[in-house]
PDB file of all heavy atoms in Angstrom:
ATOM      1  N   GLY M 251       0.235  -3.320  -2.729  1.00 97.00           N
ATOM      2  CA  GLY M 251       0.065  -3.643  -1.317  1.00 97.00           C
ATOM      3  C   GLY M 251       1.411  -4.032  -0.721  1.00 97.00           C
ATOM      4  O   GLY M 251       2.463  -3.935  -1.379  1.00 97.00           O
ATOM      5  N   ALA M 252       1.358  -4.514   0.499  1.00 96.00           N
ATOM      6  CA  ALA M 252       2.565  -4.756   1.295  1.00 96.00           C
ATOM      7  C   ALA M 252       3.565  -5.690   0.601  1.00 96.00           C
ATOM      8  O   ALA M 252       4.766  -5.591   0.845  1.00 96.00           O
ATOM      9  CB  ALA M 252       2.160  -5.323   2.645  1.00 96.00           C
ATOM     10  N   PHE M 263       1.548  -7.721   6.625  1.00 86.00           N
ATOM     11  CA  PHE M 263       0.650  -8.047   7.743  1.00 86.00           C
ATOM     12  C   PHE M 263       0.308  -9.533   7.716  1.00 86.00           C
ATOM     13  O   PHE M 263       0.265 -10.189   8.727  1.00 86.00           O
ATOM     14  CB  PHE M 263      -0.641  -7.232   7.645  1.00 86.00           C
ATOM     15  CG  PHE M 263      -0.549  -5.882   8.286  1.00 86.00           C
ATOM     16  CD1 PHE M 263       0.651  -5.412   8.802  1.00 86.00           C
ATOM     17  CD2 PHE M 263      -1.678  -5.078   8.392  1.00 86.00           C
ATOM     18  CE1 PHE M 263       0.734  -4.158   9.404  1.00 86.00           C
ATOM     19  CE2 PHE M 263      -1.611  -3.830   8.994  1.00 86.00           C
ATOM     20  CZ  PHE M 263      -0.410  -3.366   9.488  1.00 86.00           C
ATOM     21  N   ARG M 264       0.021 -10.012   6.517  1.00 78.00           N
ATOM     22  CA  ARG M 264      -0.364 -11.413   6.380  1.00 78.00           C
ATOM     23  C   ARG M 264       0.810 -12.176   5.776  1.00 78.00           C
ATOM     24  O   ARG M 264       1.244 -11.858   4.706  1.00 78.00           O
ATOM     25  CB  ARG M 264      -1.633 -11.538   5.524  1.00 78.00           C
ATOM     26  CG  ARG M 264      -2.793 -10.904   6.237  1.00 78.00           C
ATOM     27  CD  ARG M 264      -4.024 -10.690   5.386  1.00 78.00           C
ATOM     28  NE  ARG M 264      -4.971  -9.865   6.135  1.00 78.00           N
ATOM     29  CZ  ARG M 264      -4.923  -8.532   6.210  1.00 78.00           C
ATOM     30  NH1 ARG M 264      -3.984  -7.867   5.553  1.00 78.00           N
ATOM     31  NH2 ARG M 264      -5.794  -7.861   6.932  1.00 78.00           N
ATOM     32  N   GLN M 329      -1.603   0.972  -0.992  1.00 97.00           N
ATOM     33  CA  GLN M 329      -2.122   0.807   0.370  1.00 97.00           C
ATOM     34  C   GLN M 329      -0.965   0.902   1.360  1.00 97.00           C
ATOM     35  O   GLN M 329      -1.169   0.868   2.559  1.00 97.00           O
ATOM     36  CB  GLN M 329      -2.764  -0.573   0.520  1.00 97.00           C
ATOM     37  CG  GLN M 329      -3.934  -0.809  -0.399  1.00 97.00           C
ATOM     38  CD  GLN M 329      -4.301  -2.293  -0.420  1.00 97.00           C
ATOM     39  OE1 GLN M 329      -5.010  -2.786   0.437  1.00 97.00           O
ATOM     40  NE2 GLN M 329      -3.796  -3.009  -1.396  1.00 97.00           N
ATOM     41  N   VAL M 331       2.070   2.243   3.639  1.00 98.00           N
ATOM     42  CA  VAL M 331       2.284   3.462   4.423  1.00 98.00           C
ATOM     43  C   VAL M 331       3.774   3.747   4.580  1.00 98.00           C
ATOM     44  O   VAL M 331       4.163   4.662   5.296  1.00 98.00           O
ATOM     45  CB  VAL M 331       1.608   3.335   5.809  1.00 98.00           C
ATOM     46  CG1 VAL M 331       0.093   3.168   5.650  1.00 98.00           C
ATOM     47  CG2 VAL M 331       2.173   2.165   6.617  1.00 98.00           C
ATOM     48  N   ASP M 332       4.621   2.933   3.900  1.00 98.00           N
ATOM     49  CA  ASP M 332       6.068   3.024   4.137  1.00 98.00           C
ATOM     50  C   ASP M 332       6.760   4.135   3.340  1.00 98.00           C
ATOM     51  O   ASP M 332       7.919   4.451   3.588  1.00 98.00           O
ATOM     52  CB  ASP M 332       6.746   1.677   3.836  1.00 98.00           C
ATOM     53  CG  ASP M 332       6.415   1.139   2.445  1.00 98.00           C
ATOM     54  OD1 ASP M 332       6.270   1.939   1.498  1.00 98.00           O
ATOM     55  OD2 ASP M 332       6.321  -0.098   2.294  1.00 98.00           O
ATOM     56  N   HIS M 347      -3.829   4.798   2.320  1.00 97.00           N
ATOM     57  CA  HIS M 347      -3.847   4.555   3.766  1.00 97.00           C
ATOM     58  C   HIS M 347      -2.904   5.466   4.535  1.00 97.00           C
ATOM     59  O   HIS M 347      -2.555   5.171   5.678  1.00 97.00           O
ATOM     60  CB  HIS M 347      -3.540   3.081   4.052  1.00 97.00           C
ATOM     61  CG  HIS M 347      -4.615   2.148   3.563  1.00 97.00           C
ATOM     62  ND1 HIS M 347      -4.444   0.788   3.410  1.00 97.00           N
ATOM     63  CD2 HIS M 347      -5.902   2.399   3.190  1.00 97.00           C
ATOM     64  CE1 HIS M 347      -5.573   0.246   2.965  1.00 97.00           C
ATOM     65  NE2 HIS M 347      -6.460   1.202   2.815  1.00 97.00           N
ATOM     66  N   GLY M 418       0.907  -7.507  -5.203  1.00 97.00           N
ATOM     67  CA  GLY M 418       1.373  -7.683  -3.829  1.00 97.00           C
ATOM     68  C   GLY M 418       0.370  -7.300  -2.768  1.00 97.00           C
ATOM     69  O   GLY M 418       0.747  -6.817  -1.712  1.00 97.00           O
ATOM     70  N   THR M 419      -0.896  -7.511  -3.056  1.00 96.00           N
ATOM     71  CA  THR M 419      -1.903  -7.260  -2.014  1.00 96.00           C
ATOM     72  C   THR M 419      -2.757  -8.498  -1.808  1.00 96.00           C
ATOM     73  O   THR M 419      -3.081  -9.198  -2.770  1.00 96.00           O
ATOM     74  CB  THR M 419      -2.769  -6.011  -2.327  1.00 96.00           C
ATOM     75  OG1 THR M 419      -3.901  -6.011  -1.458  1.00 96.00           O
ATOM     76  CG2 THR M 419      -3.235  -5.961  -3.749  1.00 96.00           C
ATOM     77  N   SER M 420      -3.103  -8.755  -0.543  1.00 92.00           N
ATOM     78  CA  SER M 420      -3.887  -9.949  -0.234  1.00 92.00           C
ATOM     79  C   SER M 420      -5.340  -9.773  -0.664  1.00 92.00           C
ATOM     80  O   SER M 420      -6.125 -10.714  -0.608  1.00 92.00           O
ATOM     81  CB  SER M 420      -3.812 -10.262   1.259  1.00 92.00           C
ATOM     82  OG  SER M 420      -4.231  -9.152   2.015  1.00 92.00           O
ATOM     83  N   ASN M 444       1.130 -11.601  -7.759  1.00 97.00           N
ATOM     84  CA  ASN M 444       1.207 -11.863  -6.320  1.00 97.00           C
ATOM     85  C   ASN M 444       1.968 -13.156  -6.068  1.00 97.00           C
ATOM     86  O   ASN M 444       1.970 -14.061  -6.902  1.00 97.00           O
ATOM     87  CB  ASN M 444      -0.199 -11.963  -5.721  1.00 97.00           C
ATOM     88  CG  ASN M 444      -0.214 -11.595  -4.242  1.00 97.00           C
ATOM     89  OD1 ASN M 444      -0.098 -10.424  -3.899  1.00 97.00           O
ATOM     90  ND2 ASN M 444      -0.313 -12.572  -3.369  1.00 97.00           N
ATOM     91  N   ALA M 445       2.595 -13.223  -4.882  1.00 95.00           N
ATOM     92  CA  ALA M 445       3.368 -14.408  -4.541  1.00 95.00           C
ATOM     93  C   ALA M 445       2.481 -15.636  -4.348  1.00 95.00           C
ATOM     94  O   ALA M 445       2.948 -16.765  -4.472  1.00 95.00           O
ATOM     95  CB  ALA M 445       4.179 -14.141  -3.275  1.00 95.00           C
ATOM     96  N   GLU M 446       1.206 -15.411  -4.011  1.00 95.00           N
ATOM     97  CA  GLU M 446       0.303 -16.553  -3.808  1.00 95.00           C
ATOM     98  C   GLU M 446      -1.093 -16.197  -4.306  1.00 95.00           C
ATOM     99  O   GLU M 446      -1.350 -15.044  -4.638  1.00 95.00           O
ATOM    100  CB  GLU M 446       0.265 -16.916  -2.319  1.00 95.00           C
ATOM    101  CG  GLU M 446      -0.173 -15.752  -1.463  1.00 95.00           C
ATOM    102  CD  GLU M 446      -0.125 -16.031   0.035  1.00 95.00           C
ATOM    103  OE1 GLU M 446       0.610 -16.938   0.460  1.00 95.00           O
ATOM    104  OE2 GLU M 446      -0.836 -15.322   0.766  1.00 95.00           O
ATOM    105  N   ALA M 462       6.882  -9.727  -6.942  1.00 98.00           N
ATOM    106  CA  ALA M 462       6.738  -8.481  -7.707  1.00 98.00           C
ATOM    107  C   ALA M 462       8.091  -7.939  -8.166  1.00 98.00           C
ATOM    108  O   ALA M 462       8.205  -7.403  -9.273  1.00 98.00           O
ATOM    109  CB  ALA M 462       6.027  -7.437  -6.845  1.00 98.00           C
ATOM    110  N   GLU M 463       9.114  -8.097  -7.326  1.00 98.00           N
ATOM    111  CA  GLU M 463      10.427  -7.501  -7.654  1.00 98.00           C
ATOM    112  C   GLU M 463      11.113  -8.229  -8.799  1.00 98.00           C
ATOM    113  O   GLU M 463      12.068  -7.717  -9.379  1.00 98.00           O
ATOM    114  CB  GLU M 463      11.311  -7.449  -6.396  1.00 98.00           C
ATOM    115  CG  GLU M 463      11.743  -8.791  -5.828  1.00 98.00           C
ATOM    116  CD  GLU M 463      10.677  -9.466  -4.944  1.00 98.00           C
ATOM    117  OE1 GLU M 463       9.528  -8.983  -4.894  1.00 98.00           O
ATOM    118  OE2 GLU M 463      11.002 -10.495  -4.334  1.00 98.00           O
TER     119      GLU M 463
HETATM  120  N1  NAD R  79       4.685  -1.798   3.542  1.00 89.39           N
HETATM  121  C1  NAD R  79       3.639  -1.239   4.165  1.00 89.39           C
HETATM  122  O1  NAD R  79       3.461  -0.033   4.123  1.00 89.39           O
HETATM  123  C2  NAD R  79       2.662  -2.128   4.893  1.00 89.39           C
HETATM  124  C3  NAD R  79       3.087  -3.319   5.470  1.00 89.39           C
HETATM  125  C4  NAD R  79       2.137  -4.114   6.127  1.00 89.39           C
HETATM  126  C5  NAD R  79       0.813  -3.707   6.163  1.00 89.39           C
HETATM  127  N2  NAD R  79       0.429  -2.530   5.606  1.00 89.39           N
HETATM  128  C6  NAD R  79      -1.011  -2.126   5.672  1.00 89.39           C
HETATM  129  O2  NAD R  79      -1.760  -3.271   5.932  1.00 89.39           O
HETATM  130  C7  NAD R  79      -2.840  -3.515   5.051  1.00 89.39           C
HETATM  131  C8  NAD R  79      -2.550  -4.863   4.451  1.00 89.39           C
HETATM  132  O3  NAD R  79      -3.023  -5.117   3.170  1.00 89.39           O
HETATM  133  P1  NAD R  79      -2.056  -5.593   1.977  1.00 89.39           P
HETATM  134  O4  NAD R  79      -2.900  -6.365   1.053  1.00 89.39           O
HETATM  135  O5  NAD R  79      -1.291  -4.428   1.485  1.00 89.39           O
HETATM  136  O6  NAD R  79      -0.957  -6.531   2.634  1.00 89.39           O
HETATM  137  P2  NAD R  79      -1.062  -7.986   3.227  1.00 89.39           P
HETATM  138  O7  NAD R  79       0.038  -8.088   4.237  1.00 89.39           O
HETATM  139  O8  NAD R  79      -2.441  -8.320   3.644  1.00 89.39           O
HETATM  140  O9  NAD R  79      -0.735  -8.948   1.973  1.00 89.39           O
HETATM  141  C9  NAD R  79       0.496  -8.970   1.331  1.00 89.39           C
HETATM  142  C10 NAD R  79       0.354  -9.823   0.089  1.00 89.39           C
HETATM  143  O10 NAD R  79       1.568  -9.739  -0.625  1.00 89.39           O
HETATM  144  C11 NAD R  79       1.957 -11.036  -1.053  1.00 89.39           C
HETATM  145  N3  NAD R  79       3.416 -10.999  -1.183  1.00 89.39           N
HETATM  146  C12 NAD R  79       4.382 -11.204  -0.232  1.00 89.39           C
HETATM  147  N4  NAD R  79       5.606 -11.026  -0.755  1.00 89.39           N
HETATM  148  C13 NAD R  79       5.425 -10.719  -2.067  1.00 89.39           C
HETATM  149  C14 NAD R  79       6.309 -10.398  -3.136  1.00 89.39           C
HETATM  150  N5  NAD R  79       7.643 -10.369  -2.968  1.00 89.39           N
HETATM  151  N6  NAD R  79       5.764 -10.125  -4.359  1.00 89.39           N
HETATM  152  C15 NAD R  79       4.415 -10.138  -4.554  1.00 89.39           C
HETATM  153  N7  NAD R  79       3.552 -10.440  -3.568  1.00 89.39           N
HETATM  154  C16 NAD R  79       4.027 -10.702  -2.344  1.00 89.39           C
HETATM  155  C17 NAD R  79       1.427 -11.980  -0.009  1.00 89.39           C
HETATM  156  O11 NAD R  79       1.257 -13.260  -0.571  1.00 89.39           O
HETATM  157  C18 NAD R  79       0.098 -11.318   0.356  1.00 89.39           C
HETATM  158  O12 NAD R  79      -0.942 -11.757  -0.479  1.00 89.39           O
HETATM  159  C19 NAD R  79      -2.828  -2.349   4.114  1.00 89.39           C
HETATM  160  O13 NAD R  79      -3.915  -1.592   4.440  1.00 89.39           O
HETATM  161  C20 NAD R  79      -1.551  -1.554   4.413  1.00 89.39           C
HETATM  162  O14 NAD R  79      -1.860  -0.196   4.674  1.00 89.39           O
HETATM  163  C21 NAD R  79       1.330  -1.739   4.974  1.00 89.39           C
END
Side-chain angles (χ1 to χ4, degrees):
F263 273 5
R264 294 167 190 83
Q329 299 167 83
V331 298
D332 53 35
H347 293 164
T419 167
S420 56
N444 206 74
E446 58 184 22
E463 67 278 9

